[in-house]
Amino acid sequence: QVQLVESGGGSVQAGGSLRLSCAASGYTLYRVCVGWFRQAPGAEREGVATIARGGESLYYADSVKGRFTISQDNAKNTVYLQMNSLKPEDTAMYYCATDGVLDRGFCYRHPDQYTYWGQGTQVTVSS
C-alpha cells in the first residue's frame, strides 16, 4: 500500500523560503510520477510541479517557474519542493501525490489523474 507523508510547511514572510518533503513507503518513487499540488481556500486544487524518472521529466506551473524546484532523493525515497521567493498568493495546503503507474516516464498535470495522496502540509506566506 502506498503511503505519502508531507512535511516542511509553515509560516513565512514574503520573499522567504521553505522546503517541503514527500516521503513514501510502499513504492519506489523513482519509478513513478510524483506531483506537488496546492489548494487555497475556496479554490480548486492546482498542479505546482511534477517529476518523473528521477528528474528526466519535469514540469512547473507558470506561477512558480524560476522560484520553485522539484527534486528527488532516491536513497531516502523522498521528493522535495524547494520554494524560494515566496509570495502571499502561494499560501495554500500543499499535497504530494502519485498515480502509481510504474515506468511511464511522464506525468499528467491534472490532479484527477492521481490516485495516492498525502495528508497535506500548510504553507502560509504573509506580506
Side-chain angles (χ1 to χ4, degrees):
Q1 183 176 358
V2 179
Q3 285 192 321
L4 302 174
V5 179
E6 303 98 333
S7 61
S11 297
V12 296
Q13 290 191 329
S17 298
L18 286 171
R19 188 178 79 158
L20 306 184
S21 299
C22 173
S25 60
Y27 245 93
T28 300
L29 291 184
Y30 179 80
R31 299 187 64 190
V32 299
C33 174
V34 179
W36 281 100
F37 298 84
R38 66 186 181 186
Q39 187 166 21
E44 293 186 353
R45 192 168 295 188
E46 63 174 356
V48 174
T50 65
I51 186 169
R53 286 184 173 172
E56 290 184 12
S57 174
L58 298 175
Y59 160 79
Y60 295 97
D62 288 342
S63 58
V64 306
K65 278 181 183 176
R67 301 188 297 121
F68 290 11
T69 303
I70 189 170
S71 63
Q72 192 166 29
D73 185 329
N74 295 333
K76 296 182 179 180
N77 207 29
T78 298
V79 170
Y80 301 99
L81 186 68
Q82 178 66 44
M83 306 187 297
N84 298 329
S85 302
L86 283 162
K87 304 176 181 180
E89 51 263 43
D90 295 319
T91 294
M93 185 72 79
Y94 283 71
Y95 301 89
C96 67
T98 180
D99 59 7
V101 176
L102 297 176
D103 302 323
R104 185 178 60 230
F106 67 91
C107 296
Y108 293 108
R109 300 176 182 180
H110 198 282
D112 288 350
Q113 301 289 346
Y114 289 74
T115 304
Y116 305 100
W117 292 82
Q119 82 289 350
T121 185
Q122 177 67 37
V123 171
T124 302
V125 185
S126 58
S127 57

